[in-house]
Amino acid sequence: MGSVHRAIEQGLALADPAFVRDRMTEGLSSGEGLIWQVRDPIYKSEKAGKGKDSVYHEVFVDPGEDDKRLWVELLSHWLRAGVVEGGAVGSDRLGADGSGPR
């Protein structure tokens, strides 16, 4: 992260060290990556038995993420990728999902 973000990060680290350690990232590969970072617990139905004696049970697959807060630093990713033109992010060069350069 940039120097401005380091100062903010230091303040956040004093207030909530776990947030800085676990919930700050410098970019995501896609919108699906963002959703994964704030997902609810995942369960799936599994069938037990056969025929009319069959029943479905919910099976725990993934705990999800309890903390839905997420700090995503995207601009620094775009700057490193050369997306900035004339001092502003060239929105015409970003993917439709905002994930970065096309």
Side-chain angles (χ1 to χ4, degrees):
M1 291 188 185
S3 59
V4 171
H5 291 106
R6 282 191 185 90
I8 294 169
E9 185 177 339
Q10 289 173 348
L12 286 172
L14 291 172
D16 192 347
F19 175 77
V20 173
R21 182 185 64 241
D22 301 332
R23 306 302 297 153
M24 293 181 78
T25 181
E26 284 197 26
L28 300 169
S29 59
S30 68
E32 289 175 350
L34 174 63
I35 292 168
W36 182 256
Q37 292 292 326
V38 295
R39 71 195 178 283
D40 289 328
I42 300 171
Y43 296 87
K44 70 176 184 176
S45 292
E46 283 191 357
K47 184 177 178 180
K50 294 186 180 186
K52 64 181 180 177
D53 295 329
S54 65
V55 293
Y56 285 87
H57 299 282
E58 288 220 333
V59 177
F60 180 74
V61 176
D62 183 86
E65 183 57 57
D66 290 333
D67 189 350
K68 303 298 185 202
R69 301 172 302 158
L70 184 64
W71 176 297
V72 181
E73 178 59 46
L74 295 174
L75 184 57
S76 65
H77 172 72
W78 294 333
L79 290 169
R80 284 192 301 271
V83 176
V84 174
E85 298 170 0
V89 175
S91 60
D92 61 317
R93 306 230 359 241
L94 302 179
D97 63 355
S99 61
R102 289 188 244 167

